Amino acid sequence: QTPVYGKPTDLLSADLGAFLPELKGKSLHGRVEGDKFVPYPDRAALEKTAPPAPVLAYVHDPVDVFFMHIQGSGRIALDDGTVLRVGYDDQNGRAYVPIGRVLKQRGELTEVTMGTIREWLAAHPTEAQAVMNENPSYIFFRTLGQEGGPIGAQGVSLTPLRSIAVDKSLFAYGMPFYLQTQTPALNRLMIAQDTGGAIKGPVRADVFWGYGPQAEAQAGPMQSKGSYWILLPNTVAAALQ
């Protein structure tokens, strides 16, 4: 009963750097109402009133769609046995708010993982949508081909346990990182190929684990401390010192 929307026909974006050089890299999302450019509706409004957008599929569980919004991509098993792959196309421009933090602040959760959030939403069906609406960010998808991983912000297919998402305001896509984490222990070369609304700051990276039950079991509880080293050519590294 839950639609997975493509990009709305009235969703527009404005590159602020085209107006002011000091705002390079920043943008706004919205729509035109009359003669004004206004913010695009938030999640609560979009759940109440459908946007002018194509429906790519209908999914049984609204919680699954919500987490697909957080991940930015997904695989939808259709009734005829085929799988529809969808990836990020655009978003409503609203800031991402983690509902795990909301539930923890309310005293509903002590440990915040994908699993504990799912369990709480399942145990509180009458409150679930209101809690999910605490995250005003809303993602619109596009269909992908049958092969390869989801398409990251770099525009290339992500590779399990080799692709990471970083703060795009600090790092360029394609940069190699050597990553070490504690639990689970990872010691490997990674490539910055994606970003996300919750990935902020110089010491934050999200690992792409792949898809399926095993990947979900590994990714859901991961909040590991760790370190990474950015690998640069000597000439570039010298110029930065």
Side-chain angles (χ1 to χ4, degrees):
Q1 74 274 14
T2 304
V4 176
Y5 289 115
K7 183 177 178 178
T9 57
D10 62 347
L11 176 61
L12 301 173
S13 62
D15 178 6
L16 298 183
F19 298 88
L20 294 172
E22 59 267 29
L23 297 179
K24 182 180 179 180
K26 297 184 180 297
S27 62
L28 289 176
H29 290 70
R31 65 184 181 185
V32 175
E33 292 184 0
D35 61 351
K36 296 186 182 299
F37 184 64
V38 300
Y40 209 76
D42 62 10
R43 176 177 296 276
L46 291 170
E47 293 290 354
K48 186 176 181 180
T49 303
V55 177
L56 307 182
Y58 287 96
V59 176
H60 291 306
D61 187 355
V63 175
D64 282 341
V65 176
F66 179 79
F67 275 100
M68 193 166 71
H69 281 215
I70 295 175
Q71 300 300 326
S73 63
R75 294 172 180 244
I76 303 171
L78 303 179
D79 289 339
D80 63 2
T82 61
V83 174
L84 177 68
R85 297 177 64 243
V86 298
Y88 175 95
D89 193 8
D90 214 328
Q91 63 116 220
N92 64 346
R94 304 282 181 154
Y96 171 75
V97 174
I99 65 168
R101 184 176 66 195
V102 172
L103 291 171
K104 188 173 183 178
Q105 290 173 344
R106 294 180 182 177
E108 300 285 349
L109 292 178
T110 55
E111 180 185 11
V112 177
T113 68
M114 181 186 295
T116 60
I117 296 171
R118 277 187 176 275
E119 290 171 2
W120 191 95
L121 294 173
H124 301 80
T126 60
E127 304 169 61
Q129 188 60 59
V131 169
M132 290 188 287
N133 288 346
E134 292 286 338
N135 174 25
S137 175
Y138 199 96
I139 304 301
F140 304 104
F141 296 91
R142 61 188 175 97
T143 57
L144 303 176
Q146 293 301 308
E147 302 298 328
I151 305 301
Q154 189 185 14
V156 299
S157 180
L158 302 181
T159 302
L161 291 173
R162 289 297 181 185
S163 299
I164 55 172
V166 296
D167 187 336
K168 65 178 180 179
S169 70
L170 299 173
F171 304 111
Y173 298 135
M175 293 179 70
F177 289 68
Y178 188 79
L179 176 69
Q180 289 186 338
T181 62
Q182 297 177 6
T183 308
L186 295 177
N187 294 276
R188 55 178 45 220
L189 180 69
M190 310 290 284
I191 305 296
Q193 295 183 308
D194 203 8
T195 191
I199 303 170
K200 303 296 184 184
V203 195
R204 170 68 189 269
D206 277 19
V207 175
F208 174 60
W209 289 87
Y211 72 95
Q214 183 177 356
E216 182 179 16
Q218 293 172 314
M222 184 177 182
Q223 298 178 356
S224 178
K225 293 182 178 180
S227 304
Y228 57 60
W229 291 261
I230 306 166
L231 308 180
L232 300 173
N234 288 335
T235 52
V236 175
L240 295 175
Q241 292 178 355

